[in-house]
Amino acid sequence: MNKKIDKKTIKKGLLPYLFLFLVMLGVFYFFNVFNQDIHELSYDEFIDYLDKKQISKLQLIPRGSGYIYEATGTLTDYKENESFEARLPLSEEVMKKIVQESADQDFKLTVKPDPESSSFLLIIVNVLPIVIFVAIAFWFFNKQMAGNRSSMDFGKSKARLNTDDNKVTFKDVAGLKEEKEEVKELIDFLKAPKKFQKLGARIPKGVLLMGPPGTGKTLLAKAVAGEANVPFYFISGSDFVELFVGVGASRVRDMFQQAKRNAPCLIFIDEIDAVGRQRGTGLGGGHDEREQTLNQLLTEMDGFGANEGIIIIAATNRPDVLDPALLRPGRFDRQVTVNLPDVKGREEILAVHSKNKILADGITLKNLAKRTPGFSGADLENLLNEAALLAVRRNKEEITMSEIDEATDRVLMGPAKVSHKYSENDRKLVAYHEAGHAVIGLKLRSASDVQKVTIIPRGSAGGYNMMVPSEEKLCSTKTDLLEEITGLLGGRTAEEITFGEITTGAHNDFEKATKIVRAMVTEYGMSDLGPLQFEQQSGSVFLGRDYNKPQHFSNEVANEIDMEMRKIIDDCHKKATEIIKKNRSLLKLIAEALLEYETLTKEQIDYLVENGKMPEENEDNLESLSITKLRELAKEKGIKNYSKMNKAELLKELDSI
């Protein structure tokens, strides 16, 4: 696999070799010069050798403004590394004698001009080597200082100043109406602080944004900075903590020093729980580096010194682990919970993320918002992006409901395992299991509406039911919870009644049902034990949530809790059995439709319940056709092995034609 090589990387790699070559060249020149054996000759000795015809090579260079000549050369009996030097007076007699002997002896005579007569040549010969040496020395010194500077910058803050021209404003933040109102005071203070100071009001020094991942905490902080039009520093909590104790505290001090020079300004610390955890907790005591960093942060926010005009916004989805000193008034004065959006908020978020996407005419954002309860803003953005990718993959010019349904399944359960081969017995078991859930959902209307049923495996599930609450509620009643448990037991009950056998397919259903039942008994007071809370949601976050979990009740009460849980489960199972037995024809109808179509939508289920049959098939929409009809079309198109393909494989082959 070819990789694109950066030219700068090549140059950096060649520099050491180039320097090594120059060094070797200098060493070679040094030894070559100093290994020369040079003989100093007097004028008489030179004339004597000239008369004896022993000169083989001669070079004359005028010196001293042309009054003398510097003669260099070799004699006939000299070795390769031997040479002579002599200084000759400038006279007509000497020059005639040298020229005559050169003609008679035929030795090489060279006369060079005086280098001192050319200033340019003088600079090159005398100054250039010094310049090259100084440049090389400066380069090495600069590299060494750069390394030292990087080590000296170890304690500098890693907070980065946001210089993005495309600033985020409240218009870019959909939903979060109450949350935006809470932080508007910060914007007003940053724009006009005197208005608050006149009445003696103190603006919050810090705002802590809490909530599940993907709800828009970071986006809200960016919008505050964009609306206020002030410098905006952003840093992650993990950027403070290092291996060496004291580095994090140094970075906190440097961050506030930078902020003071640009006040008024905002500092955004993402995932503050990385540095703001409770001190002195965990096995083996605390963490010295993190605790010193937290101590410095606490001092900078509200200590002896004043940091006027600096507002800190922090975000976390783990507020339960933060140190109490960090949350007190004077530090993080205001704590804003950013919850999952409601149906109206989801519609606004979808409107923002669908601006650059082409949706089919039949799709309305209001209906799509109703189909996605519990989705965060990040989930909704991912949903529309997955739908757009599927539309491109299917060579469509717009996003249809088919792509949105598939994208919803991908976000919730993962991609479909189209290559997974069911045996006919397994398909029948899964079909009746999912049909059991659907029947309970249809007959207990107050609990949830059945939106979709499928037997196509996704993730670890062989199939699943998408059930959406008929209306979103702030609190759940005891009836709502009991009906939810009954719905979860519908799959196992259908297996028992239809096959007289049970499978492992209800594993996840039991996990969810048990969690709800235990919360009803031990937390919500919805049992015969009365309005008592025996357990709490969170355990020790530093030792594992279930490790060393305190038990505030006796063994006798623990036995009563187990009995109450069993009683609720038995009652719900009995109710599910009554509903399934009473509606066995509907169970069979839905199961057989699932075996034929593999996926049923809400509209198809409603039509099936009302008319006792599936709606008429439309060949223009291949996904709505049954497996039998798809195999007939595949046969007409000449597709091989169509009888062994499942629905997903048939659709893929037909789409490729």
Side-chain angles (χ1 to χ4, degrees), residues 173-193:
V173 183
L176 305 181
K177 183 177 180 181
E178 293 78 10
E179 290 81 354
K180 286 189 282 189
E181 289 292 332
E182 283 289 317
V183 296
K184 271 187 178 179
E185 288 180 4
L186 304 179
I187 300 169
D188 295 336
F189 174 78
L190 291 169
K191 288 183 176 179

Side-chain angles (χ1 to χ4, degrees), residues 329-623:
R331 288 179 179 137
F332 282 107
D333 307 83
R334 188 165 299 177
Q335 299 169 22
V336 180
T337 302
V338 185
N339 285 319
L340 293 171
D342 57 8
V343 62
K344 186 177 180 182
R346 292 196 298 273
E347 185 178 352
E348 294 176 1
I349 293 171
L350 287 167
V352 170
H353 293 303
S354 63
K355 285 181 180 178
N356 61 341
K357 295 177 176 61
I358 304 174
L359 301 178
D361 295 334
I363 298 176
T364 60
L365 298 179
K366 186 175 182 179
N367 291 335
L368 187 55
K370 291 180 180 179
R371 292 166 55 94
T372 52
F375 276 50
S376 66
D379 290 332
L380 294 171
E381 189 275 335
N382 189 33
L383 170 66
L384 290 179
N385 184 61
E386 285 287 345
L389 292 174
L390 285 169
V392 173
R393 199 179 303 167
R394 295 173 179 179
N395 298 320
K396 292 185 178 181
E397 296 182 355
E398 58 184 8
I399 302 172
T400 64
M401 202 64 206
S402 173
E403 284 75 44
I404 290 179
D405 279 337
E406 175 65 20
T408 305
D409 295 341
R410 282 172 171 262
V411 172
L412 290 174
M413 304 291 294
K417 296 181 179 179
V418 295
S419 61
H420 186 76
K421 296 295 183 181
Y422 269 141
S423 67
E424 284 302 317
N425 186 47
D426 287 341
R427 290 183 78 249
K428 193 173 182 180
L429 279 169
V430 174
Y432 273 91
H433 180 101
E434 299 302 333
H437 288 304
V439 169
I440 301 295
L442 290 168
K443 296 305 175 182
L444 298 178
R445 288 281 183 176
S446 62
S448 300
D449 291 336
V450 181
Q451 290 289 329
K452 185 177 182 180
V453 186
T454 180
I455 60 172
I456 297 175
R458 291 179 182 272
S460 60
Y464 80 98
N465 260 269
M466 182 188 291
M467 303 181 76
V468 177
S470 54
E471 60 179 3
E472 295 187 29
K473 300 176 182 179
L474 183 62
C475 297
S476 298
T477 65
K478 182 178 180 179
T479 302
D480 293 338
L481 296 176
L482 290 174
E483 289 187 349
E484 186 175 353
I485 296 169
T486 304
L488 290 168
L489 298 176
R492 165 59 67 85
T493 306
E495 294 175 9
E496 293 173 339
I497 293 174
T498 306
F499 304 103
E501 185 63 88
I502 57 177
T503 68
T504 59
H507 170 270
N508 187 247
D509 299 332
F510 294 158
E511 182 182 351
K512 294 178 181 177
T514 304
K515 186 176 180 181
I516 296 171
V517 172
R518 189 164 191 86
M520 288 176 65
V521 177
T522 61
E523 297 179 34
Y524 307 147
M526 294 180 176
S527 69
D528 293 340
L529 294 179
L532 294 173
Q533 189 178 60
F534 300 103
E535 295 178 353
Q536 295 178 351
Q537 285 280 357
S538 60
S540 176
V541 295
F542 300 102
L543 303 179
R545 292 192 178 272
D546 296 325
Y547 181 80
N548 200 23
K549 193 172 183 180
Q551 181 173 316
H552 303 293
F553 47 84
S554 64
N555 292 333
E556 289 77 8
V557 174
N559 183 57
E560 291 181 19
I561 290 173
D562 294 339
M563 296 298 293
E564 284 295 320
M565 290 177 60
R566 182 178 295 277
K567 180 183 176 183
I568 294 174
I569 289 289
D570 289 343
D571 291 343
C572 291
H573 184 253
K574 188 182 296 183
K575 187 174 183 179
T577 303
E578 292 174 359
I579 295 173
I580 295 294
K581 286 183 176 179
K582 188 176 179 179
N583 297 276
R584 292 192 70 168
S585 58
L586 179 60
L587 176 71
K588 184 178 179 182
L589 186 65
I590 295 175
E592 290 180 350
L594 281 171
L595 289 170
E596 188 67 19
Y597 290 85
E598 291 191 345
T599 300
L600 301 178
T601 62
K602 176 177 172 53
E603 294 76 16
Q604 291 174 323
I605 293 171
D606 291 341
Y607 189 92
L608 184 65
V609 173
E610 185 177 348
N611 300 282
K613 62 178 182 179
M614 290 290 289
E616 293 184 6
E617 298 178 348
N618 180 12
E619 292 191 6
D620 293 334
N621 184 9
L622 295 178
E623 294 183 5

Side-chain angles (χ1 to χ4, degrees), residues 37-89:
D37 187 7
I38 301 175
H39 303 278
E40 292 286 342
L41 301 181
S42 64
Y43 172 71
D44 294 334
E45 290 175 332
F46 174 78
I47 295 298
D48 185 50
Y49 284 124
L50 185 64
D51 292 337
K52 293 179 180 180
K53 304 184 185 303
Q54 292 182 357
I55 295 177
S56 61
K57 184 178 179 182
L58 182 63
Q59 178 177 283
L60 299 176
I61 301 175
R63 299 289 187 185
S65 301
Y67 292 109
I68 60 173
Y69 276 100
E70 183 180 281
T72 58
T74 58
L75 300 180
T76 55
D77 58 347
Y78 275 5
K79 297 179 181 178
E80 187 177 353
N81 62 335
E82 286 185 299
S83 63
F84 69 82
E85 287 184 357
R87 300 179 72 82
L88 310 176

